[in-house]
Amino acid sequence: MSTEIASDPPTTLTLDQKRSLYKDGYIVLRNAVSEKFVEAALDRIHTAKRGENIGGEPAMTDLINASSITPILTEAMGTFDPPVFCQVGVSKVREPGKHFNNLGYRDKDMPYYNAETHMDGSLTISIPQEVQEGTEEEIYKRYIASGPKGDLGRSPDVIGHNMGPLFDDPEMTLGLGSFTAFVFVCLNDQTVPGRGQTALLRGAHHATEKFFRWQYETNGKLGPEGPGWPRLNHKAPNRCGLIYLPEAVRDQFIDEASESTPDGKKWPRPTQILMDAGDACITMYHIPHSGTRNELGTESRKNMIFRIRNKKRQPDNVHNGITDHPDRGTAGAWLEYEEGNNPWERSKYAMCNMWDEWEGMREVVAEEQLKEVSSAT
Ligand SMILES: [Fe+2]
């Protein structure tokens, strides 16, 4: 006689899942979070007062700290600080809008439900809603002066409305903050496209790592305002759109089927991550991604977004689980580092060597890279 026992969710990735993570840059875990924790998080969202930030409530952080995601990520990646915050990614159902998005295009004109595909860790100051006038230099100066700290000129003390600094380091050679992994925990039915899903540029983590290496080899400057990556697109309809992804990466994902904005510019088609409540998606930091417009949903889209950094990058720093620029403190504050610890060089190294912080992926990475070498010869 056999007894059926309800199986707990797995606590490690299978070999095939690790191969997918290598190839695609993400992996979806079905039912990674039990119903009990999903319900508790939803209850907390439903009882939140207007404007209340509930990202630090245990009901939210338990989605990782008390679920199978912690052992899975620890095995695949390495140790990390348990998140004490998450980004509460709730987007209401809405029609396409006329406003300019962060890329300087009108929301309604942007393909793929207004996917603003980007790398994480860059500064975003609110985008001008009037078409900008003047020279490119004037537009740049005006833009960086319109952040929460006012006009500081071109300085690493400038921060965005998203709290991301213009540059992470004092020498202004690093335009992106970085970490190791994203975890998106889904709390509602997002199994049909157009419901505000997180969308990813599948496989593009390989291209971004390669691009960072090229930037580093060229002059040691990484991210926006490094080689091949101007910060602003003055050809955008508002003349002041952010370039969230370097053209050299974007172009690799454009094909016949790519949709265009009215100016004829083609945009790479991202993959909408279809998930249901309790599912989670783990991705590489390196993958370009975006939230999308919740145009076809019947309720608000709810993804709780965590940013995770392998503890080995800065063992003495505590990462809170939400910041995308952990080498700096709150509102761009400068942190203390001991003699010989150059946080910017460590982060540049991690950006150029994306598997270094995925300790449980080593064998799969070696196996896949060997296959790539043998198929190339
Ligand atoms: Fe992002």
Side-chain angles (χ1 to χ4, degrees), residues 87 118-121 182 289-291 307 324:
Q87 181 182 335
H118 64 277
M119 294 296 297
D120 236 45
F182 278 107
H289 61 277
S290 178
R307 296 175 177 86
D324 63 359

Side-chain angles (χ1 to χ4, degrees), residues 5 8 15 25 40 44 55 110 130 136 139 142 159 188 191 237 241 263 283 287 291 310 319 327 341 362:
I5 300 169
D8 288 328
L15 207 51
R44 193 59 197 88
M110 200 74 203
E130 310 284 318
E136 294 184 356
I139 293 172
R142 203 182 306 138
I159 61 167
N188 74 302
T191 57
D263 58 357
T283 88
I287 203 150
N310 187 316
H319 185 227
D327 295 330
N341 177 353
R362 282 197 185 130

Side-chain angles (χ1 to χ4, degrees), residues 138-192:
E138 285 164 353
I139 293 172
Y140 174 91
K141 279 189 183 160
R142 203 182 306 138
Y143 179 69
I144 63 164
S146 64
K149 288 189 178 173
D151 188 0
L152 304 174
R154 184 175 176 268
S155 150
D157 286 317
V158 171
I159 61 167
H161 292 107
N162 67 343
M163 297 293 125
L166 186 65
F167 295 98
D168 283 63
D169 63 323
E171 282 78 36
M172 302 197 280
T173 66
L174 180 57
L176 284 179
S178 60
F179 44 97
T180 314
F182 278 107
V183 182
F184 307 101
V185 180
C186 176
L187 297 179
N188 74 302
D189 182 351
Q190 299 175 29
T191 57
V192 176

Side-chain angles (χ1 to χ4, degrees), residues 203-215:
H205 55 311
H206 297 291
T208 53
E209 182 196 48
K210 215 168 168 183
F211 180 79
F212 289 144
R213 287 183 180 197
W214 172 78
Q215 282 194 313

Side-chain angles (χ1 to χ4, degrees), residues 12-21 363-364 367-368:
T12 54
L13 298 180
T14 65
L15 207 51
D16 274 347
Q17 284 176 315
K18 286 187 177 180
R19 287 180 184 133
S20 295
L21 177 61
E363 282 170 32
V364 167
E367 173 194 287
E368 294 297 320

Side-chain angles (χ1 to χ4, degrees), residues 78-348:
T79 51
F80 57 93
D81 293 315
V84 292
F85 274 105
C86 78
Q87 181 182 335
V88 180
V90 174
S91 21
K92 291 186 177 152
V93 181
R94 68 173 181 90
E95 298 280 315
K98 281 190 182 161
H99 62 276
F100 288 117
N101 67 16
N102 290 330
L103 309 185
Y105 284 79
R106 295 202 186 272
D107 172 86
K108 66 180 177 62
D109 290 336
M110 200 74 203
Y112 322 122
Y113 304 103
N114 190 48
E116 300 173 43
T117 307
H118 64 277
M119 294 296 297
D120 236 45
S122 70
L123 156 141
T124 298
I125 290 173
S126 300
I127 283 296
Q129 292 300 310
E130 310 284 318
V131 176
Q132 293 298 287
E133 288 176 6
T135 65
E136 294 184 356
E137 205 186 323
E138 285 164 353
I139 293 172
Y140 174 91
K141 279 189 183 160
R142 203 182 306 138
Y143 179 69
I144 63 164
S146 64
K149 288 189 178 173
D151 188 0
L152 304 174
R154 184 175 176 268
S155 150
D157 286 317
V158 171
I159 61 167
H161 292 107
N162 67 343
M163 297 293 125
L166 186 65
F167 295 98
D168 283 63
D169 63 323
E171 282 78 36
M172 302 197 280
T173 66
L174 180 57
L176 284 179
S178 60
F179 44 97
T180 314
F182 278 107
V183 182
F184 307 101
V185 180
C186 176
L187 297 179
N188 74 302
D189 182 351
Q190 299 175 29
T191 57
V192 176
R195 292 185 174 177
Q197 284 87 349
T198 301
L200 309 174
L201 212 50
R202 183 194 297 192
H205 55 311
H206 297 291
T208 53
E209 182 196 48
K210 215 168 168 183
F211 180 79
F212 289 144
R213 287 183 180 197
W214 172 78
Q215 282 194 313
Y216 193 79
E217 282 159 19
T218 304
N219 66 7
K221 296 184 179 178
L222 262 69
E225 301 197 35
W229 194 347
R231 189 176 297 273
L232 295 177
N233 175 11
H234 299 289
K235 293 198 179 101
N238 78 341
R239 294 199 62 218
C240 183
L242 284 161
I243 299 179
Y244 265 166
L245 199 60
E247 293 286 298
V249 172
R250 267 177 48 96
D251 289 352
Q252 295 173 48
F253 296 86
I254 302 285
D255 59 28
E256 294 293 288
S258 302
E259 292 180 24
S260 312
T261 36
D263 58 357
K265 192 175 172 74
K266 288 188 167 206
W267 300 87
R269 179 184 296 276
T271 300
Q272 291 223 340
I273 304 302
L274 305 181
M275 296 195 285
D276 211 339
D279 295 345
C281 177
I282 294 178
T283 88
M284 308 284 300
Y285 155 77
H286 285 72
I287 203 150
H289 61 277
S290 178
T292 53
R293 184 173 57 234
N294 182 2
E295 192 176 330
L296 307 177
T298 54
E299 59 177 338
S300 61
R301 161 270 206 178
K302 299 170 197 74
N303 272 3
M304 300 307 112
I305 301 165
F306 296 86
R307 296 175 177 86
I308 307 290
R309 178 141 93 157
N310 187 316
K311 194 70 186 157
K312 80 174 190 174
R313 180 100 59 105
Q314 288 296 348
D316 294 338
N317 278 11
V318 176
H319 185 227
N320 62 9
I322 186 171
T323 177
D324 63 359
H325 50 276
D327 295 330
R328 294 277 288 275
T330 311
W334 296 95
L335 303 176
E336 296 272 327
Y337 293 93
E338 74 277 13
E339 189 70 38
N341 177 353
N342 181 331
W344 333 115
E345 275 307 314
R346 284 192 194 185
S347 287
K348 286 178 187 177

